[in-house]
Amino acid sequence: MAMRSAVCLAMAATVAAVATTTAGAGTAQARAEGGYCAMLPDSIGLYAGNKVTQMGYPIGTIESIEPQDIGVRVTFSVDNDRPIPANVAAVTRSKSVLADRSLELVGNYRNGERLRASECIPLERAHTPQSISQITGSAADLIDQLAPEGDTRALAGSIDEMSSSVIGTGPRVETLMRTAASAARSPERTIADIGSIITMTAPLTKDALARWGDISSIITKLPQATDVAARVLWPGAVNMIYGMQPVLLLISDIEPRYGEYLYPTLDVLADALHVAATRVGDVQKALSAIPSMAANVALVAERGRGVGLRVRPPEVRVRAADGKAWCARVNAVKPGSCTTERGDTRMVRVGVLDLLVAGVRR
């Protein structure tokens, strides 16, 4: 039994020695061939001696940093010959903006090819935090634009203009700050106003909820009403506009020719319409008398005298004991002014003026 235990211990020691020798040989080979490397866009925050990590756990050390044409070559070593996959990516990381960065290897080895010693991780798989790098580059660009080639005249002019623009604004700034401070010290008024607004909107919200059925019905029917307006009313409006086109063309043709005559007429017409609108009763009475007047007025043309109006005076009907004798006496004064009614010889028709003339002459 003692012999068997001794043999087992010897075999375990041999395996451990072989493993240690292999690991040491791998690490020594990587260092002899120049170590691993990564091409980074920049090396801000990286220094020789900084840690190389994987999933945040230190596995190596940065050996050197050398600037190159296409970027920065960062050479690093890995402890205990840790296997690194061939497609590993490299990023720089830091716990804060001001802290030194470490080189983080992204990707664990499972199987397949490994990253060989002296083989660099390319720029395509190397990344740096753009925030710090871009801020640094932008600051440098800003300084170059403000003072190109050391010329500070533009910067001095900008400062002078800024100083001129703020002259006299001190009292207003002071008033603003005092008002803001007062509002901050006594926020009760603002809070009370907000509370009043919420309280006043409560009845509106309550009524809206109570009438939500009507509101929902209106909203539901609105698409159909809009569709009807689009299909029925809008074509009518379009047709009306097209129908007005000839009228507008006629107006545009008449106005340049007869506008100087039409405008005074329209001014008079406006006054006439105003009078007609304000004296509707009188106009109605005048119009009602036109038919009876038209029956007694005739437009005639006489040779040598032109056109004129012939007015026939109104007639009256008179009852007489002997109509024929009565008309004979009237006709003796004005021939043809008196006639008897057909079928009733006691009823005569005579003009008012003729009757008056006959009475006076008699």
Side-chain angles (χ1 to χ4, degrees):
M1 181 65 66
M3 181 63 68
R4 182 177 299 177
S5 299
V7 172
C8 291
L9 291 174
M11 292 179 63
T14 302
V15 172
V18 171
T20 303
T21 303
T22 304
T27 304
Q29 179 183 3
R31 291 178 178 174
E33 295 181 2
Y36 302 104
C37 70
M39 295 298 299
L40 301 178
D42 60 70
S43 61
I44 297 176
L46 287 180
Y47 304 98
N50 286 15
K51 298 295 183 181
V52 178
T53 61
Q54 195 168 37
M55 300 182 66
Y57 182 78
I59 62 170
T61 307
I62 295 177
E63 302 293 341
S64 63
I65 299 175
E66 302 175 5
Q68 305 246 336
D69 294 338
I70 59 174
V72 179
R73 178 189 175 100
V74 178
T75 304
F76 62 93
S77 61
V78 177
D79 300 335
N80 300 326
D81 195 24
R82 184 181 182 89
I84 302 174
N87 61 348
V88 69
V91 297
T92 58
R93 56 183 293 273
S94 61
K95 296 181 179 180
S96 65
V97 176
L98 300 178
D100 290 346
R101 297 182 183 180
S102 61
L103 183 65
E104 174 76 13
L105 301 181
V106 182
N108 294 323
Y109 178 79
R110 291 184 175 85
N111 52 41
E113 296 184 1
R114 301 183 182 184
L115 184 68
R116 295 190 300 270
S118 72
E119 182 179 358
C120 280
I121 301 172
L123 279 173
E124 292 76 10
R125 299 202 307 270
H127 308 281
T128 58
Q130 295 299 314
S131 57
I132 299 177
S133 304
Q134 287 183 345
I135 290 172
T136 305
S138 299
D141 295 338
L142 177 61
I143 293 174
D144 290 339
Q145 292 179 3
L146 293 177
E149 299 180 358
D151 187 0
T152 60
R153 288 178 296 179
L155 180 59
S158 300
I159 295 175
D160 291 339
E161 292 293 333
M162 185 181 299
S163 176
S164 300
S165 64
V166 298
I167 291 176
T169 60
R172 288 181 291 176
V173 174
E174 180 186 7
T175 302
L176 177 63
M177 295 182 68
R178 289 183 181 277
T179 303
S182 176
R185 286 196 303 268
S186 302
E188 294 83 4
R189 178 62 181 274
T190 303
I191 296 175
D193 293 340
I194 296 174
S196 299
I197 293 173
I198 296 174
T199 304
M200 291 178 181
T201 57
L204 177 61
T205 306
K206 183 178 180 181
D207 292 342
L209 292 175
R211 300 177 180 272
W212 184 251
D214 298 336
I215 298 174
S216 177
S217 177
I218 293 173
I219 296 175
T220 304
K221 295 178 180 178
L222 187 60
Q224 291 82 356
T226 306
D227 180 68
V228 171
R231 289 188 296 103
V232 179
L233 299 180
W234 183 249
V238 172
N239 294 333
M240 182 182 68
I241 294 174
Y242 277 113
M244 292 176 60
Q245 182 178 2
V247 179
L248 296 176
L249 292 175
L250 179 61
I251 293 175
S252 65
D253 185 41
I254 292 176
E255 193 276 336
R257 299 182 182 181
Y258 310 105
E260 57 180 342
Y261 308 107
L262 290 175
Y263 291 142
T265 304
L266 292 176
D267 293 337
V268 175
L269 181 61
D271 295 336
L273 291 175
H274 175 71
V275 172
T278 56
R279 305 297 296 272
V280 175
D282 298 338
V283 173
Q284 182 178 5
K285 293 178 180 179
L287 291 177
S288 63
I290 288 178
S292 59
M293 293 177 59
N296 298 318
V297 179
L299 183 65
V300 296
E302 298 182 1
R303 180 177 296 179
R305 299 181 63 181
V307 179
L309 289 176
R310 179 176 293 172
V311 180
R312 185 176 62 184
E315 295 180 345
V316 294
R317 299 171 67 189
V318 180
R319 182 175 294 276
D322 187 356
K324 291 183 179 181
W326 198 84
C327 279
R329 289 193 297 269
V330 175
N331 288 333
V333 179
K334 181 68 179 295
S337 61
C338 182
T339 59
T340 57
E341 292 285 343
R342 291 183 179 181
D344 189 357
T345 58
R346 291 179 297 177
M347 184 66 68
V348 298
R349 182 184 295 275
V350 62
V352 175
L353 295 179
D354 296 335
L355 183 60
L356 292 175
V357 170
V360 170
R361 290 187 179 182
R362 186 176 177 182

